[in-house]
C-alpha cells in the first residue's frame, strides 16, 4: 500500500506442486499438451515427474526446452525410466494400456516426495492445479488418496453392472486423476483379502494382482478399486468436475458439479481427442495444442474455442457448451487480474 515501508526480506518461494504422468507408445504429444495446460493456468511452481520409455526421453527433453523461458522458469522436471519394484516387469508393463501400471509404484519410487497429483496423458487442466492441490488439506486423519467416481449413476455404471471383483462404493472410482499423500501411503498397513494382518503398499501389489488377474478388465484401476474396497476409510472422493469424461455427457448430462461450476479437469479417455466421436473434447484439445504460449489467452484460446464449439452444438456433449467454458473463462479472468496487479505494483501506479 502507498506509504508503507517495504520489507527488506524476499518472500520465500512457494513449495512445489508435484505432478506425475506415465507416457509410453504414441503418447508424447498428448503428454506435452497436458503439461502445457497445467502451466497455462497454475500459480505456484510445478515439479513434473515424467515416466517414459527410453526412446521418448530425448524427445521430451527437446520439446520442453523449446518452450519460452517465461514458462520454463515456472517448472522443473525429471524423466524416469519405466520400472516395477516387485513381480514380473513385462507382466506389469502389459497390464491394460502400455506402462499404465507404473502409477501403482509411485509411492515406492518417489521416496522424497510427500504429496503428488497423478494424471493420465489424456487429461487437460481448465483451472489451476493449485485448486485441486488444496484438497490435500481436506483429507481427514485416515485418508491418503483422492479420486472421482467412475460413474454417477449405478444402473449405467460399468463396475456396478459387470465387475467380477470387489470395487469401491456403488460405482467404483476412476484412477485417471489421482491425488496422493505418498508419505501416508508408505507408512500405512492395508487391510486385504489375502492375510489377516495388514500389508504395506509395496508388499500388497503383486499378490493382489496374482489373486485377481483373471477377473480384472481395466488393469491398475481395478487393483486400486480392490484396495479401496478393503480400505474405504483411506479414500477421499472428489466430485466429477475434477475428472470429467465423455460418459458424463454422452448419455445426457449427469455431472451436477460441472453444470454448476464448469469442468475443472477434462479427461478425454476413449481416444476422443483423436477421432470425431466427441467434437467438444477434440476442440478443447486442439485449441490448447495450437495456442502460442505468449499470446493473448482470450484472443488466441478462448475465442477460437467458442468458435469451434458452435460446430458441436448438434452433439450430445456440445449441447452444454457452458459446462466446458465456465471454468476456463473464470480462470483466464483471474490470470489477467493477477497480471494487472503485478504490473501495477511493479510500476507504483496506485
Amino acid at each position: 500500500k502507498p506509504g508503507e515501508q517495504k520489507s527488506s526480506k524476499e518472500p520465500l518461494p512457494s513449495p512445489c506442486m508435484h505432478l506425475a504422468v506415465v507416457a509410453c507408445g504414441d503418447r508424447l504429444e498428448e503428454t506435452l499438451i497436458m503439461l502445457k495446460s497445467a502451466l497455462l493456468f497454475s500459480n505456484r511452481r510445478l515439479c513434473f515427474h515424467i515416466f517414459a520409455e527410453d526412446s521418448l526421453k530425448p524427445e521430451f527433453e527437446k520439446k520442453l526446452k523449446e518452450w519460452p523461458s517465461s514458462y520454463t522458469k515456472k517448472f522443473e522436471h525429471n524423466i524416469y525410466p519405466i520400472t516395477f519394484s516387485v513381480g514380473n516387469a513385462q507382466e506389469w508393463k502389459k497390464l491394460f494400456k502400455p506402462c499404465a501400471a507404473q502409477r501403482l509404484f509411485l509411492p515406492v519410487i518417489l521416496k522424497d516426495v510427500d504429496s503428488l497429483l497423478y494424471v493420465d496423458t489424456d487429461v487437460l487442466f481448465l483451472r489451476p492445479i493449485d485448486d485441486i492441490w488444496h484438497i490435500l488439506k481436506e483429507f481427514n486423519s485416515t485418508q491418503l488418496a483422492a479420486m472421482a467416481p467412475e460413474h454417477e449413476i449405478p444402473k449405467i455404471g460399468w463396475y456396478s453392472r459387470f465387475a467380477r471383483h470387489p470395487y469401491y462404493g456403488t460405482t467404483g472410482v476412476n484412477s485417471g486423476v489421482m491425488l496422493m499423500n505418498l508419505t501416508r501411503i508408505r507408512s500405512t498397513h492395508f487391510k486385504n483379502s489375502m492375510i489377516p494382518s495388514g500389508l504395506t503398499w509395496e508388499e500388497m501389489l503383486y499378490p493382489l494382482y496374482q489373486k485377481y488377474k483373471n477377473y480384472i478388465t481395466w488393469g491398475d484401476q481395478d487393483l486400486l478399486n480392490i484396495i479401496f474396497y478393503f480400505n474405504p476409510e483411506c479414500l477421499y472422493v472428489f466430485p466429477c468436475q475434477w475428472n470429467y469424461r465423455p460418459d458424463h455427457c454422452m448419455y445426457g448430462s449427469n455431472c451436477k458439479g460441472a453444470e454448476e461450476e464448469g469442468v475443472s479437469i477434462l479427461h478425454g479417455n476413449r481416444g476422443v481427442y483423436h477421432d470425431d466421436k466427441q467434437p467438444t473434447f477434440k476442440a478443447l484439445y486442439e485449441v490448447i495444442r495450437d495456442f502460442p504460449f505468449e499470446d493473448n489467452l482470450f484472443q488466441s484460446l478462448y475465442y477460437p474455442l467458442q468458435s469451434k464449439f458452435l460446430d458441436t452444438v448438434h452433439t450430445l456433449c456440445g449441447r452444454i457448451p457452458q459446462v466446458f467454458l465456465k471454468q476456463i473463462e473464470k480462470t483466464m479472468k483471474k490470470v489477467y487480474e493477477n497480471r494487472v496487479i503485478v504490473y501495477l505494483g511493479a510500476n507504483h501506479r496506485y
Side-chain angles (χ1 to χ4, degrees):
K1 289 181 184 177
E4 278 189 353
Q5 193 174 354
K6 288 191 176 179
S7 168
S8 60
K9 285 186 179 178
E10 284 293 318
L12 291 169
S14 297
C16 219
M17 295 183 293
H18 295 270
L19 178 66
V21 64
V22 179
C24 285
D26 59 356
R27 298 302 180 107
L28 176 80
E29 183 195 69
E30 242 184 32
T31 306
L32 289 165
I33 307 309
M34 179 276 290
L35 298 174
K36 183 180 183 182
S37 74
L39 272 180
L40 285 178
F41 303 126
S42 292
N43 301 313
R44 280 167 52 192
R45 186 171 177 76
L46 292 165
C47 288
F48 296 147
H49 301 274
I50 302 165
F51 290 81
E53 289 172 307
D54 294 342
S55 59
L56 293 178
K57 183 175 179 177
E59 199 63 17
F60 268 117
E61 294 285 10
K62 178 177 170 240
K63 294 287 185 186
L64 291 171
K65 280 177 186 166
E66 288 171 2
W67 289 358
S69 60
S70 57
Y71 282 90
T72 55
K73 70 183 182 185
K74 290 172 66 178
F75 73 91
E76 57 190 72
H77 73 278
N78 283 299
I79 302 176
Y80 309 82
I82 302 295
T83 52
F84 304 99
S85 62
V86 292
N88 183 310
Q90 285 309 308
E91 209 171 1
W92 282 121
K93 198 169 181 181
K94 292 174 184 172
L95 183 65
F96 191 47
K97 290 180 182 172
C99 308
Q102 181 69 77
R103 89 183 87 184
L104 296 172
F105 295 87
L106 297 179
V108 181
I109 299 166
L110 301 175
K111 292 185 187 299
D112 296 329
V113 176
D114 173 64
S115 295
L116 179 83
L117 177 64
Y118 165 87
V119 294
D120 285 349
T121 59
D122 52 8
V123 153
L124 292 170
F125 292 93
L126 305 186
R127 69 189 285 182
I129 290 184
D130 310 59
D131 297 338
I132 192 169
W133 197 254
H134 288 320
I135 291 175
L136 286 163
K137 293 179 180 172
E138 296 177 21
F139 284 13
N140 66 26
S141 59
T142 62
Q143 290 166 338
L144 46 75
M147 287 186 275
E150 172 65 20
H151 216 287
E152 302 304 301
I153 305 166
K155 67 180 179 184
I156 57 174
W158 192 91
Y159 283 106
S160 44
R161 289 186 297 159
F162 304 117
R164 296 188 295 150
H165 59 77
Y167 58 89
Y168 179 87
T170 55
T171 59
V173 282
N174 183 281
S175 60
V177 179
M178 185 175 177
L179 192 60
M180 292 180 272
N181 183 319
L182 300 184
T183 302
R184 287 187 180 182
I185 291 174
R186 285 187 286 263
S187 63
T188 299
H189 282 74
F190 294 86
K191 297 188 290 291
N192 60 86
S193 59
M194 295 164 292
I195 62 169
S197 59
L199 290 169
T200 67
W201 186 265
E202 190 175 17
E203 288 170 343
M204 174 174 58
L205 290 178
Y206 195 61
L208 199 69
Y209 167 67
Q210 287 297 317
K211 178 169 181 176
Y212 291 103
K213 66 180 179 181
N214 294 326
Y215 303 100
I216 60 178
T217 303
W218 308 112
D220 52 304
Q221 176 173 292
D222 290 348
L223 290 177
L224 289 165
N225 267 282
I226 295 165
I227 291 168
F228 290 113
Y229 169 84
F230 290 107
N231 301 271
E233 72 285 356
C234 292
L235 190 67
Y236 178 107
V237 179
F238 51 65
C240 47
Q241 66 264 31
W242 291 106
N243 186 349
Y244 190 91
R245 286 158 277 126
D247 286 5
H248 289 120
C249 51
M250 61 192 283
Y251 306 118
S253 182
N254 60 51
C255 176
K256 290 284 182 280
E259 288 171 22
E260 291 164 10
E261 294 183 25
V263 174
S264 296
I265 294 179
L266 193 75
H267 184 181
N269 64 345
R270 302 174 181 264
V272 294
Y273 296 148
H274 312 293
D275 60 31
D276 296 315
K277 291 178 183 172
Q278 298 297 339
T280 319
F281 282 75
K282 189 177 183 182
L284 264 158
Y285 179 80
E286 289 179 345
V287 166
I288 293 174
R289 179 194 67 195
D290 298 340
F291 172 70
F293 263 109
E294 307 215 68
D295 266 24
N296 179 298
L297 278 167
F298 273 103
Q299 199 68 43
S300 301
L301 195 148
Y302 187 68
Y303 296 142
L305 192 54
Q306 281 187 315
S307 176
K308 275 180 177 275
F309 272 19
L310 290 174
D311 298 329
T312 74
V313 291
H314 63 286
T315 67
L316 285 167
C317 294
R319 288 186 303 180
I320 46 171
Q322 72 282 0
V323 164
F324 296 89
L325 292 170
K326 191 180 288 187
Q327 195 56 241
I328 202 167
E329 181 180 350
K330 188 176 165 186
T331 298
M332 281 193 282
K333 282 180 179 171
K334 275 188 183 172
V335 168
Y336 273 108
E337 283 167 10
N338 290 341
R339 283 182 189 168
V340 167
I341 290 165
V342 168
Y343 177 77
L344 288 174
N347 290 276
H348 304 286
R349 294 178 186 171
Y350 297 101

